[in-house]
């Protein structure tokens, strides 16, 4: 690992000031992505700004039918939170399926979405539930946050502070994990609220997480397993790598979507 | 360089470390606690698992400076003098190791699993071991050891 300096920020504003005064600095939260990347010398920030201990970013609460999660909440905290388990078990289950227990203790929701790995789980929940992401500057809709592979609309000196998920009980995440890393080979988040049906797909899109409009439209007309089975994802724009080619992955997405719809119909 | 104060196996340590030092190197190279191993460079094998404020984490994937003011337990801190920790004892009794390279990480992970999961069964143990790899045993006796220990603890 290359040399760098380390700042344990005492507040969000101190972290923002440090970020904006040195373009070569980087936020560190759980470090579960950043440190392995730095070990491989694929990233070499001059300064790390640690925010993991900031109390103002550490909360999980419910307010006017939204679950608000502070950005440094760990995957372990989300998966074991009474509030999340009671109001939106689909989100708790998603967090419990990330990586392994050691990664879940350290990794944070803010880090996971800021990184926008195309095979990460949380981006699917954000798009699939219509989350709002609060930063040190503004509020951004999930649709406008995830731009491309490892790319978000975050500016250089902007920090994710909170993610707000509307409570949609009728929601489910189905993932086919890569057997080695547990990252999603295909992950589908389906939600059905009073007003809309959303189907968000991770692990498959060449440009990262996306909403599968054809499936959403079909399910809005007829909410059934038969409909889920009849819509096929085109393999165009679907990732292809050593783990599976685009046809295989597109089919996996289909299977995950069918399972999610099936589970929701059986349970509700 | 940065000054850190860390409690390791019940002893308070105060040390000057490089910012870029990984916690596992602080433990192995500076404190000579070589029971914690390094088995990969991809954060996947779990040979380096220690307890940070009571939670099992990978010491190869965090910096010493991130552990400032924390309390750490390594495999060396588990036994009570000559008396092995019940999980260590269970690994011995059930032949839970062959070469032993993965064992410290397995045991530290197992202590954490048993603490978190009151009704353990084979399926849960196998799922919970997702972050710990063993090249020798095929996991059979590791799972057996953890289940045996869970009944004793
Ligand atoms: C073995 C292993 C298996 C894994 N399996 C999965 C899996 O199955 N599914 C999955 O989704 N993920 C998986 N992950 C990734 C894991 O979820 C990480 O925790 C997550 O991607 C990054 O979160 P972090 O808090 O560790 O971020 P860090 O590594 O600290 O940071 C990641 C990036 O985000 C930036 N950042 C962090 N926090 C903020 C913030 N609040 N505001 C702005 N920028 C910020 C950092 O500057 C950095 O660029 C795995 C990781 C490992 C090591
Ligand atoms: S050395 Fe392999 S996970 Fe830490
Ligand atoms: S006993 Fe040899 S790696 Fe597990």
């Amino acid at each position: 690992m290359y040399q760098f300096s380390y700042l344990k920020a005492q507040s969000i504003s101190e972290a923002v000031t440090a970020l904006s005064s040195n373009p070569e600095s980087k936020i560190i939260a759980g470090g579960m992505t950043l440190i392995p990347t730095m070990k491989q010398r694929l990233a070499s920030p001059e300064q790390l700004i640690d925010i993991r201990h900031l109390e103002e970013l550490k909360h999980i609460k419910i307010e006017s039918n939204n679950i608000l999660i502070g950005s440094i909440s760990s995957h372990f905290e989300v998966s074991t939170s009474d509030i999340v388990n009671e109001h939106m078990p689909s989100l708790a289950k998603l967090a419990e399926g990330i990586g392994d227990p050691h990664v879940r203790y350290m990794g944070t929701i803010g880090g996971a979405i800021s990184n926008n790995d195309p095979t990460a789980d949380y981006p699917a929940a954000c798009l699939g539930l219509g989350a709002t992401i609060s930063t040190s500057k503004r509020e951004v809709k999930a649709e406008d946050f995830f731009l491309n592979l490892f790319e978000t609309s975050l500016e250089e000196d902007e920090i994710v502070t909170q993610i707000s998920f509307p409570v949609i009980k009728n929601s489910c995440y189905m993932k086919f994990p890569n057997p080695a890393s547990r990252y999603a080979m295909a992950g589908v988040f389906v939600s059905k609220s009073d007003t809309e049906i959303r189907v968000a797909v991770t692990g498959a899109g060449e440009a990262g997480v996306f909403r599968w409009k054809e499936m959403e439209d079909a399910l809005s007309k007829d909410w059934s397993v038969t409909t889920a089975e009849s819509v096929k994802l085109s393999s165009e724009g679907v990732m292809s790598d050593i783990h599976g080619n685009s046809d295989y992955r597109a089919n996996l997405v289909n299977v995950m979507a069918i399972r999610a719809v099936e589970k929701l119909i059986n349970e509700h | 360089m940065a000054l850190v104060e860390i409690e390791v196996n019940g002893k308070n340590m105060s040390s000057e470390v490089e910012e870029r030092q990984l916690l596992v190197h602080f433990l192995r190279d500076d404190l000579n606690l070589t029971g914690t191993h390094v088995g990969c460079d991809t954060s996947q094998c779990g040979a380096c698992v220690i307890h940070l404020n009571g939670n099992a984490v990978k010491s190869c994937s965090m910096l010493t400076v991130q552990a400032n003011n924390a309390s750490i337990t390594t495999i060396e801190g588990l036994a009570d003098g000559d008396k092995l920790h019940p999980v260590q004892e269970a690994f011995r009794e059930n032949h839970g190791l062959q070469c032993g390279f993965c064992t410290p990480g397995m045991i530290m992970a197992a202590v954490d699993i048993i603490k978190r999961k009151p009704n353990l069964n084979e399926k849960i143990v196998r799922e919970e071991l997702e972050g710990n790899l063993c090249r020798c045993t095929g996991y059979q006796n590791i799972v057996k050891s953890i289940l045996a220990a869970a009944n004793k603890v």
Side-chain angles (χ1 to χ4, degrees):
Chain A
M1 222 188 289
Y2 294 110
Q3 291 278 14
F4 55 83
S5 64
Y6 171 85
L7 173 73
K8 186 167 177 172
Q10 300 307 320
S11 64
I12 300 174
S13 59
E14 189 189 354
V16 171
T17 309
L19 257 187
S20 41
S21 60
N22 182 355
E24 297 301 317
S25 59
K26 247 186 186 312
I27 293 290
I28 181 165
M32 288 295 101
T33 294
L34 189 53
I35 292 184
T37 317
M38 289 170 66
K39 281 165 69 176
Q40 311 273 3
R41 295 192 168 180
L42 295 172
S44 50
E46 279 174 13
Q47 182 184 36
L48 289 186
I49 304 160
D50 195 347
I51 57 167
R52 196 167 185 276
H53 49 279
L54 291 180
E55 283 300 322
E56 44 190 329
L57 299 176
K58 202 182 187 77
H59 56 260
I60 299 179
K61 54 191 177 192
I62 183 150
E63 261 175 39
S64 46
N65 222 27
N66 284 285
I67 294 181
L68 314 181
I69 303 183
S71 63
I72 58 163
S73 306
S74 68
H75 309 329
F76 175 74
E77 284 159 346
V78 173
S79 71
T80 55
S81 149
D82 289 342
I83 290 178
V84 181
N85 277 287
E86 183 188 335
H87 296 279
M88 208 143 59
S90 56
L91 195 59
K93 189 173 158 262
L94 176 145
E96 198 180 9
I98 296 177
D100 58 54
H102 324 309
V103 168
R104 293 196 287 271
Y105 275 131
M106 290 300 291
T108 67
I109 186 168
I113 67 164
S114 305
N115 196 48
N116 194 18
D117 186 309
T119 61
D121 298 304
Y122 269 124
C126 292
L127 266 192
L129 290 164
T132 302
I133 291 136
S134 309
T135 75
S136 46
K137 288 188 176 166
R138 57 191 167 134
E139 299 204 331
V140 195
K141 289 266 158 224
E143 274 82 352
D144 304 322
F145 185 83
F146 302 105
L147 299 185
N148 211 324
L149 297 189
F150 300 102
E151 198 186 318
T152 66
S153 62
L154 281 179
E155 289 165 20
E156 294 280 336
D157 58 346
E158 196 171 11
I159 296 176
V160 174
T161 52
Q162 174 180 284
I163 298 92
S164 163
F165 295 97
V167 173
I168 305 175
K169 260 260 159 83
N170 213 348
S171 59
C172 176
Y173 181 59
M174 281 289 169
K175 154 176 170 180
F176 187 91
N178 176 312
S181 71
R182 297 284 134 172
Y183 275 101
M185 293 269 299
V188 178
F189 199 105
V190 178
S191 77
K192 183 175 185 293
S193 68
D194 297 340
T195 50
E196 65 174 345
I197 288 172
R198 283 181 177 238
V199 180
V201 178
T202 189
E206 273 175 345
V209 66
F210 64 93
R211 275 176 75 179
W212 185 7
K213 298 281 185 192
E214 296 77 28
M215 184 61 100
E216 291 181 356
D217 292 344
L219 288 172
S220 307
K221 289 196 196 94
D222 176 38
W223 174 244
S224 72
V225 177
T226 328
T227 302
E229 284 168 345
S230 69
V231 184
K232 298 279 177 244
L233 183 67
S234 151
S235 56
E236 210 169 304
V238 171
M239 277 195 283
S240 180
D241 59 23
I242 52 163
H243 305 298
N245 65 22
S246 40
D247 288 337
Y248 176 79
R249 266 212 173 74
N251 184 57
L252 267 187
V253 171
N254 265 102
V255 175
M256 293 303 114
I258 294 165
R259 286 189 191 166
V261 172
E262 211 162 36
K263 183 155 183 277
L264 287 175
I265 287 177
N266 290 339
E267 278 176 7
H268 290 268
Chain B
M1 301 287 277
L3 181 71
V4 292
E5 295 192 9
I6 305 178
E7 185 194 308
V8 182
N9 298 331
K11 281 196 221 108
N12 289 318
M13 307 279 173
S14 175
S15 236
E16 284 270 342
V17 300
E18 263 194 284
E19 286 83 355
R20 64 172 167 176
Q21 186 190 54
L22 295 171
L23 182 59
V24 69
H25 293 135
F26 175 66
L27 298 171
R28 289 180 55 87
D29 304 344
D30 293 3
L31 304 184
N32 214 14
L33 294 170
T34 53
T36 304
H37 293 164
V38 179
C40 73
D41 61 3
T42 52
S43 308
Q44 280 177 323
C45 77
C48 60
V49 170
I50 54 124
H51 292 179
L52 177 81
N53 298 327
N55 297 331
V57 301
K58 290 172 174 169
S59 62
C60 74
S61 302
M62 71 180 287
L63 306 166
T64 312
V65 287
Q66 284 177 286
N68 194 10
N69 298 319
S71 159
I72 285 175
T73 307
T74 68
I75 189 73
E76 291 89 347
L78 221 48
D80 179 10
D82 284 342
K83 194 174 173 316
L84 290 180
H85 184 279
V87 178
Q88 291 174 307
E89 193 58 50
F91 269 68
R92 188 164 82 167
E93 278 168 9
N94 294 281
H95 198 60
L97 58 145
Q98 288 178 21
C99 82
F101 193 84
C102 69
T103 315
M106 286 286 176
I107 290 179
M108 297 313 282
V111 172
D112 181 71
I113 295 169
I114 293 170
K115 176 190 80 182
R116 271 187 293 115
K117 301 275 173 181
N119 299 308
L120 270 187
N121 58 38
E122 179 180 342
K123 182 165 179 284
I124 300 176
V125 172
R126 287 184 187 274
E127 276 168 10
E128 288 287 325
L129 286 180
E130 174 56 35
N132 294 81
L133 301 179
C134 174
R135 298 300 301 273
C136 307
T137 63
Y139 303 92
Q140 291 296 104
N141 286 349
I142 292 176
V143 175
K144 200 170 141 198
S145 305
I146 297 174
L147 289 173
N151 287 329
K152 272 197 259 165
V153 174

